[in-house]
Amino acid sequence: MQGQYTHYLIIPKDATTRISDRYDWQTFTYKDVEKTGTRDVNVTLPTDDDLKSEIQAFMDTYSIDGSGTKAELLEAIDEWLMENGTPTESESYTYTAQEVDKTSDHQAKVDDCVARHPLFFAKRNSPDGSEYCIKSDLTFEELKALPSSIKIFTNEEVKAYISENWIEEE
């Protein structure tokens, strides 16, 4: 019976056949690209350590009203900050990002499927090495597309085939 069930394929040793396109894959190479961006950062607020002229310059930049001693100017700034929040300024920065440089498509042959998914395809070699058996979940259309050199069996059929044809050499 053929359909969407587990089937067993008996494949000649030297076959390099594609059994399905579902197992094709891609590989990518990347390149480093330098990019620039902008972000808003909080400005550095004046402190007691700053000169009175620096504090007044900050107040002029952000249109903050006030006069008097350094302490009074800082208090005016604190009141303004409570109402308006901390001012920000835009800052440019550069960073390195990886982008795909080249994409390579790979068409999976039987050997690729076995190598990439060894537990799923579960390859078993015949004692004389002339053929091997793999497990598959191919659809009816994929099974019909296989070359005639590949034999398709169900679980019970492959057990019978192996017991009759794969004679162990002593």
Side-chain angles (χ1 to χ4, degrees):
M1 180 172 146
Q2 295 181 355
Q4 186 72 35
Y5 300 99
T6 300
H7 289 87
Y8 296 86
L9 307 178
I10 302 291
I11 303 171
K13 174 186 154 194
D14 50 350
T16 57
T17 307
R18 276 182 58 132
I19 57 172
S20 174
D21 60 0
R22 285 188 287 156
Y23 301 103
D24 292 352
W25 75 97
Q26 294 179 322
T27 55
F28 307 97
T29 56
Y30 297 92
K31 62 180 176 183
D32 289 338
V33 177
E34 191 169 289
K35 295 187 174 193
T36 59
T38 58
R39 60 182 169 215
D40 289 335
V41 294
N42 291 339
V43 297
T44 304
L45 300 174
T47 63
D48 285 330
D49 296 335
D50 294 323
L51 298 173
K52 185 175 179 181
S53 61
E54 292 171 335
I55 296 171
Q56 286 175 327
F58 178 86
M59 292 175 74
D60 291 341
T61 302
Y62 295 100
S63 302
I64 303 171
D65 294 327
S67 63
T69 65
K70 276 177 43 172
E72 291 170 340
L73 295 177
L74 290 172
E75 189 175 315
I77 291 172
D78 286 341
E79 289 174 11
W80 184 86
L81 290 173
M82 294 296 263
E83 293 175 16
N84 300 300
T86 304
T88 60
E89 58 186 20
S90 291
E91 172 184 85
S92 293
Y93 63 97
T94 59
Y95 62 97
T96 303
Q98 285 193 329
E99 291 183 353
V100 174
D101 184 34
K102 183 180 174 189
T103 302
S104 301
D105 293 325
H106 301 279
Q107 294 183 342
K109 307 253 188 291
V110 175
D111 292 338
D112 297 323
C113 292
V114 171
R116 292 175 61 87
H117 309 284
L119 298 177
F120 178 75
F121 285 99
K123 181 178 179 180
R124 182 174 173 192
N125 291 308
S126 66
D128 64 358
S130 64
E131 60 188 7
Y132 58 91
C133 176
I134 62 168
K135 181 170 63 168
S136 75
D137 67 342
L138 301 179
T139 63
F140 184 63
E141 292 300 316
E142 291 169 325
L143 290 171
K144 287 192 327 187
L146 292 175
S148 60
S149 61
I150 296 178
K151 301 173 190 129
I152 305 165
F153 296 109
T154 62
N155 188 5
E156 293 304 317
E157 292 170 342
V158 81
K159 287 179 187 176
Y161 177 86
I162 288 174
S163 66
E164 292 170 14
N165 297 298
W166 288 13
I167 300 166
E168 296 286 335
E169 297 175 5
E170 295 178 24

